[in-house]
Amino acid sequence: MTSGVPQGLILGALLFLLYANDLIDEDEDSNVASFADDIKIYKCIESPSDSESLQSDLRSLELRAEASGLTLSKDRCIFQRITRKKTPIVFSYSVKNEALPTSTQEKDLGVWVTSNLTWKKQTLDRCAQANTLLGYTKRSAPDKNNVSTRRTLYLALVRPKLLKWTG
């Protein structure tokens, strides 16, 4: 290995941000959001020309990344259309001349974002995690028959999973 930063190193994220901040061009029509090693490019699409503009900005981001010595991992690039329109504008976006796969749901900073902006996936995920913890506490509690012990374990381990929407 000729370069890189060990995974998990706190300095790694900072170095990446210093590197990746040059990728964002204020002259683009699209919006760019970045967090740690993720970069999202997004735009409100109201016409086919908006789709072409987003693809142009995506290509521009790809070229700037390559010029900086970074490459976009096409395996980790996805496209998500978020709309409630009956007939959305259809456009095939690409990276490295390969069409991006379409996703109907993605986890972003610990929260499930679905194409139709409903909370169903997030709620089901949280309930599944809480149910798993409930089963674990039920199996591993030393004094399962004591109501006070069960209540304490529930309040400390299970309930926070139901109340906390991220991570």
Side-chain angles (χ1 to χ4, degrees):
M1 178 178 285
T2 58
S3 66
V5 177
Q7 187 171 359
L9 190 66
I10 294 171
L11 187 58
L14 177 64
L15 291 173
F16 178 80
L17 286 175
L18 290 172
Y19 224 123
N21 275 342
D22 291 341
L23 301 179
I24 299 168
D25 187 0
E26 299 297 323
D27 295 334
E28 292 178 346
D29 292 331
S30 304
N31 299 303
V32 179
S34 64
F35 182 78
D37 65 345
D38 286 335
I39 295 176
K40 293 169 187 56
I41 184 167
Y42 60 97
K43 179 180 180 96
C44 182
I45 305 296
E46 296 176 351
S47 68
S49 64
D50 288 339
S51 296
E52 292 168 7
S53 174
L54 178 59
Q55 177 60 52
S56 173
D57 290 344
L58 186 59
R59 179 67 182 143
S60 177
L61 177 70
E62 183 182 350
L63 292 173
R64 283 193 308 278
E66 289 174 3
S68 296
L70 300 172
T71 55
L72 298 179
S73 173
K74 59 185 171 192
D75 297 332
R76 297 207 42 217
C77 292
I78 61 107
F79 159 68
Q80 183 178 20
R81 178 181 292 113
I82 300 174
T83 185
R84 288 187 166 218
K85 291 182 179 178
K86 296 285 183 197
T87 55
I89 297 171
V90 178
F91 190 88
S92 180
Y93 298 96
S94 63
V95 169
K96 297 185 179 182
N97 296 322
E98 288 188 29
L100 291 176
T102 303
S103 176
T104 57
Q105 56 192 20
E106 284 298 314
K107 202 168 196 178
D108 186 22
L109 300 177
V111 177
W112 283 101
V113 178
T114 59
S115 295
N116 59 359
L117 290 179
T118 61
W119 288 101
K120 186 176 181 179
K121 174 68 175 162
Q122 178 69 21
T123 303
L124 291 174
D125 185 56
R126 285 283 129 191
C127 288
Q129 288 181 15
N131 198 30
T132 300
L133 275 172
L134 189 60
Y136 173 74
T137 57
K138 187 177 178 181
R139 287 187 306 274
S140 61
D143 190 8
K144 297 179 211 178
N145 296 328
N146 185 333
V147 175
S148 177
T149 302
R150 287 195 322 242
R151 183 178 190 281
T152 302
L153 287 171
Y154 171 79
L155 292 174
L157 300 173
V158 179
R159 191 166 179 228
K161 281 292 180 190
L162 293 172
L163 299 177
K164 186 174 84 169
W165 284 97
T166 59

